[in-house]
């Protein structure tokens, strides 16, 4: 009769039954004498007994056949036992997969037990052992706790996705109940399909380490297919979601969730963070990588804002960055474009601040009388290129030593000999070969370009160049302050006063930058 019943019940149903049987045994074992250390472990971690019961947490005793012997006695067949994934066949026969571990049952949306995650309670490796995939358990098709969290997700309007069972359980215990976890597999298409059925917004709250940020980035391949607003929660370094909510509490965790950034923006910043914007070659590679990433996002709605972020980071004009993005998009999506031309244009476009600095030096070398007039504008801190800075510092030193023609001595036609003496002294003063070659090169370029220009034309040109240089300098300052503010925001100990001061300073600098841009007619 038992055999007929089993046949009628079906293979899957028998596996669900065996998992429920195992779950009940493990729960009883947790409250037995053998489970005392497991209970101590859970309590020490900060999990309350009510939470153990809500999540059916259990304990697998340190025995080879604790579950196996009882499964056989209850009438489960050898085939069912081996198909369940709860046992392993070794040289000496079949034995329990989970031994001396706290067990976290995994349920499907119908609240059937389909697998377990086991965490060791003493020293040893591996820390976690999980059920293998079986007839009833395919990891990529399930999210831990979705059965409990589904209604909360619909009520709150968004889902929080974490990486581990304990992250879910600690958050749930703290009152954050719209949370689910991946089951030891990468965030993938099936996960987004599950979530898209109940919400339009997903916040990824993975660890701040490399693995966590990598897991977040994998979402970029799927989120658009399901029309989801996917965001990334920036946790302080060294914190996982469980640590964060235990130390900071529910309200601060939810505040961090509110401050989560769009996934695309997170991925863009991640790419740029590998490069140094202060180094020309590194900055060029960073912009190319960033624009290539943006070019892969064919239908991104916020592309203008993202291009602006790249332009701000690299200290280049927005229109230059957008133009190069369009070239890359044409190349990527099969339209006519010359790849070499794309790269050449990008590289030329990236050195805007260097060209501005050198254009100023070129003009001052061609018209040394203007050094006196513009001395108050010349500040070596505004110059970023090391060679340009050395030339400017030398020019300022010469001015202070009285070795530069002063404006009041200027006659209707400049004295060529006086200019030649100035150039000769400057080249003598320059110590390095690099700056000497640059000065000579700029001098010859200026001779060809500026011949015959009137004072008013030169003056307008210098006004525009110095305003442009100031904009580049302010953008560098703003970028550095924003980076400092971002680092402050993700610290475990927040300094809200300092954050407010930095935010105010950024706003003031941006207002000043805008005034310089408008003054130049940008």
């Amino acid at each position: 009769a038992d055999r007929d019943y089993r046949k009628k019940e079906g293979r899957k149903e028998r596996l669900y039954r065996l998992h429920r049987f195992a779950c009940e045994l493990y729960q009883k074992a947790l409250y037995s004498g053998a489970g005392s250390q497991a209970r101590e472990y859970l309590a020490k971690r900060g999990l309350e007994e009510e939470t153990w019961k809500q999540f059916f947490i259990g304990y697998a005793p340190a025995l080879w056949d604790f579950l196996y012997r009882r499964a056989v006695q209850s009438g489960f067949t050898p085939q069912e036992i081996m198909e369940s994934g709860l046992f392993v066949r070794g040289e000496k026969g079949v034995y329990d997969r989970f031994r001396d571990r706290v067990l976290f049952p995994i349920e499907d949306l119908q609240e059937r037990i389909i697998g377990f995650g086991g965490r060791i309670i003493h020293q040893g490796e591996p820390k976690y052992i999980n059920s293998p995939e079986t007839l009833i358990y395919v990891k990529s098709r399930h999210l831990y706790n979705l059965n409990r969290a589904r209604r909360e997700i619909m009520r709150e309007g968004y889902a929080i996705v974490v990486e581990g069972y304990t992250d879910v359980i600690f958050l749930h215990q703290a009152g954050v109940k719209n949370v689910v976890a991946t089951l030891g597999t990468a965030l993938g298409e099936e996960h987004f399909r599950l979530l898209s059925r109940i919400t339009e917004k997903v916040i990824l709250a993975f660890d701040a380490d490399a693995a966590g940020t990598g897991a977040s980035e994998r979402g970029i391949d799927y989120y658009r297919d399901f029309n989801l607003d996917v965001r990334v929660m920036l946790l302080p370094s060294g914190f996982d979601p469980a640590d964060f909510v235990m130390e900071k509490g529910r309200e601060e965790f939810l505040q961090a969730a509110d401050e989560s950034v769009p996934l695309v923006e997170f991925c863009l910043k991640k790419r740029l963070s590998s490069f140094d914007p202060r180094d020309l070659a590194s900055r060029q590679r960073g912009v190319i990588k960033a624009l290539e990433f943006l070019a892969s996002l064919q239908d991104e709605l916020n592309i203008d804002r993202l291009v602006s972020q790249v332009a701000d980071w690299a200290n280049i004009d927005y229109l230059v960055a957008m133009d190069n993005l369009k070239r890359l998009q044409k190349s990527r999506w099969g339209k006519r474009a010359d790849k070499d031309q794309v790269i050449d244009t990008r590289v030329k476009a990236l050195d805007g601040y260097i060209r501005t600095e050198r254009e100023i030096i070129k003009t001052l070398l061609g018209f040394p009388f203007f050094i006196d007039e513009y001395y108050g504008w010349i500040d070596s801190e505004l110059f970023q290129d090391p060679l340009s800075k050395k030339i400017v510092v030398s020019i300022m030193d010469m001015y202070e030593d009285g070795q530069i023609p002063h404006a009041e001595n200027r006659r209707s036609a400049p004295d060529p000999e006086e200019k030649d003496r100035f150039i000769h002294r400057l080249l003598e003063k320059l110590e390095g070969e690099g700056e000497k070659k640059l000065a000579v090169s700029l001098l010859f370029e200026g001779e060809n370009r500026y011949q015959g220009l009137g004072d008013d034309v030169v003056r307008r040109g210098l006004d525009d160049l110095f305003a442009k240089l100031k904009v580049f300098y302010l953008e560098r300052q703003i970028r550095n302050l924003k980076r400092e503010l971002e680092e402050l925001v993700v610290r475990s100990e927040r300094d809200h006063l300092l954050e407010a001061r930095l935010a105010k300073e950024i706003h003031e600098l941006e207002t000043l930058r805008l005034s310089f841009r408008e003054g130049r007619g940008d």
Side-chain angles (χ1 to χ4, degrees):
D2 278 353
R3 189 179 302 165
D4 292 340
Y5 176 74
R6 285 198 301 269
K7 190 173 182 180
K8 186 178 179 181
E9 195 176 18
R11 284 170 66 198
K12 282 190 175 181
E13 284 71 19
R14 291 293 293 171
L15 293 181
Y16 293 134
R17 182 179 288 272
L18 177 49
H19 277 77
R20 178 64 66 181
F21 172 78
C23 181
E24 290 170 358
L25 279 177
Y26 291 143
Q27 280 184 284
K28 288 177 184 175
L30 178 64
Y31 290 97
S32 70
S36 62
Q37 288 187 313
R39 295 194 301 275
E40 286 174 19
Y41 167 80
L42 290 170
K44 191 175 179 181
R45 286 291 305 272
L47 289 174
E48 299 162 5
E49 192 169 339
E50 182 59 33
T51 304
W52 312 351
K53 292 175 181 175
Q54 284 179 334
F55 285 87
F56 307 130
I57 295 173
Y59 170 66
L63 301 170
W64 290 88
D65 61 353
F66 169 78
L67 180 60
Y68 177 68
R69 190 157 34 86
R70 287 161 178 78
V72 171
Q73 288 169 356
S74 296
F76 291 99
T77 68
Q79 182 183 357
E80 290 164 353
I81 283 169
M82 292 315 301
E83 279 186 344
S84 71
L86 297 173
F87 307 94
V88 178
R89 188 186 297 280
E91 292 179 6
K92 296 182 179 179
V94 178
Y95 58 90
D96 293 5
R97 179 179 297 276
F98 301 106
R99 303 177 308 281
D100 196 22
R101 288 177 181 269
V102 169
L103 290 187
F104 305 98
I106 301 161
E107 299 170 84
D108 64 12
L109 280 170
Q110 288 73 45
E111 301 193 335
R112 298 172 297 203
I113 309 291
I114 56 175
F116 292 90
R119 207 291 185 187
I120 199 165
I121 60 174
H122 301 105
Q123 294 298 316
E125 293 293 336
K127 275 187 180 179
Y128 285 94
I129 292 179
N130 302 312
S131 287
E133 295 199 340
T134 65
L135 187 64
I136 61 172
Y137 179 43
V138 179
K139 295 177 183 180
S140 63
R141 294 180 189 168
H142 297 279
L143 287 163
Y144 180 68
N145 196 50
L146 186 57
N147 57 308
R148 288 183 196 82
R150 178 169 45 180
R151 285 184 182 175
E152 289 291 330
I153 290 169
M154 294 172 76
R155 191 168 70 82
E156 296 293 339
Y158 65 97
I160 297 173
V161 181
V162 297
E163 284 185 291
Y165 315 113
T166 53
D167 288 327
V168 167
I169 295 169
F170 275 106
L171 286 166
H172 186 95
Q173 180 175 278
V176 182
K177 298 184 178 180
N178 53 327
V179 58
V180 296
T182 51
L183 290 159
T185 185
L187 193 65
E189 186 175 2
E190 289 297 327
H191 298 133
F192 284 114
R193 180 173 284 113
L194 280 170
L195 292 166
S196 68
R197 290 169 183 163
I198 56 176
T199 189
E200 294 179 353
K201 182 178 177 181
V202 175
I203 296 176
L204 308 179
F206 296 151
D207 293 7
D209 59 16
T213 54
S216 299
E217 288 192 280
R218 282 192 289 275
I220 205 75
D221 296 327
Y222 304 107
Y223 82 101
R224 289 190 305 277
D225 297 338
F226 299 100
N227 196 29
L228 286 167
D229 174 13
V230 182
R231 295 174 170 266
V232 179
M233 185 172 162
L234 302 173
L235 293 169
S237 181
F239 277 83
D240 60 25
D243 297 330
F244 188 91
V245 80
M246 283 283 284
E247 184 168 321
K248 303 292 184 183
R250 176 178 180 271
E251 293 308 315
E252 197 153 333
F253 183 88
L254 292 176
Q255 178 66 28
D258 285 343
E259 294 168 359
S260 58
V261 299
L263 176 62
V264 174
E265 189 174 314
F266 171 82
C267 292
L268 177 64
K269 286 184 177 178
K270 182 74 168 51
R271 280 160 175 76
L272 290 174
S273 69
S274 303
F275 301 93
D276 182 358
R278 296 165 299 183
D279 176 78
L280 177 61
S282 182
R283 188 171 73 255
Q284 288 177 347
R285 291 196 302 275
V287 173
I288 289 168
K289 287 289 183 187
L291 292 181
E292 284 175 345
F293 167 65
L294 294 182
S296 72
L297 308 175
Q298 195 171 9
D299 302 314
E300 177 55 44
L301 294 174
N302 297 312
I303 201 73
D304 286 354
R305 184 168 54 79
L306 297 167
V307 172
S308 289
Q309 289 180 11
V310 176
D312 284 346
W313 178 86
N315 215 355
I316 60 175
D317 192 273
Y318 163 81
L319 292 175
V320 168
M322 180 57 82
D323 179 59
N324 284 296
L325 174 66
K326 287 175 180 174
R327 290 169 182 269
L328 277 169
Q329 285 172 328
K330 286 179 183 177
S331 175
R332 182 179 182 86
W333 302 110
K335 297 173 185 174
R336 291 182 64 189
D338 185 333
K339 183 73 173 173
D340 291 335
Q341 183 189 8
V342 172
I343 293 172
D344 285 348
T345 307
R346 284 180 301 196
V347 171
K348 287 174 185 173
L350 297 182
D351 61 356
Y353 81 90
I354 288 184
R355 286 189 288 111
T356 300
E357 292 176 4
R358 293 184 179 179
E359 203 67 39
I360 288 172
I361 294 170
K362 194 186 302 179
T363 308
L364 295 178
L365 294 181
F367 300 89
F369 284 99
F370 279 100
I371 294 170
D372 181 26
E373 188 173 332
Y374 282 86
Y375 178 74
W377 291 59
I378 304 171
D379 180 352
S380 62
E381 289 304 309
L382 297 177
F383 290 76
Q384 191 175 358
D385 174 45
L387 294 180
S388 298
K389 188 185 285 263
K390 287 176 181 176
I391 295 173
V392 166
V393 168
S394 295
I395 289 173
M396 292 171 74
D397 288 346
M398 288 175 67
Y399 177 85
E400 289 164 7
D401 290 342
Q403 295 179 316
I404 285 181
H406 281 238
E408 62 266 20
N409 297 331
R410 181 159 191 180
R411 293 172 290 280
S412 56
D415 181 356
E417 290 184 9
E418 199 169 5
K419 178 180 171 182
D420 288 345
R421 283 195 297 274
F422 157 67
I423 296 297
H424 181 71
R425 287 171 184 158
L426 176 64
L427 293 177
E428 279 186 339
K429 192 170 182 63
L430 295 174
E431 296 176 355
E433 282 301 309
E435 55 262 35
K436 276 187 180 178
K437 285 181 180 177
L438 176 61
V440 171
S441 170
L442 294 176
L443 182 65
F444 281 119
E445 285 180 32
E447 290 285 349
N448 295 328
R449 184 179 303 180
Y450 297 138
Q451 209 158 14
L453 288 183
D455 285 2
D456 289 344
V457 175
V458 176
R459 194 173 281 111
R460 284 198 300 272
L462 280 172
D463 287 348
D464 185 65
L465 287 168
F466 275 110
K468 199 172 186 180
L469 188 67
K470 190 71 174 178
V471 168
F472 283 131
Y473 173 76
L474 289 170
E475 285 174 344
R476 285 199 300 276
Q477 298 299 102
I478 290 166
R479 190 166 57 248
N480 291 337
L481 287 172
K482 282 182 175 178
R483 194 176 293 126
E484 190 179 340
L485 183 58
E486 285 173 4
E487 289 170 1
L488 281 175
V489 167
V490 297
R491 281 184 185 172
S492 55
E493 295 294 331
R494 297 279 293 274
D495 186 339
H496 296 290
L497 284 176
L498 181 56
E499 288 173 24
R501 186 173 64 75
L502 286 177
K504 183 182 178 185
E505 198 171 337
I506 289 167
H507 176 71
E508 289 170 352
L509 288 175
E510 285 179 334
T511 302
L512 188 58
R513 174 180 64 169
L514 185 61
S515 71
F516 273 101
R517 279 188 177 280
E518 289 172 346
R520 288 170 37 224
D522 285 1

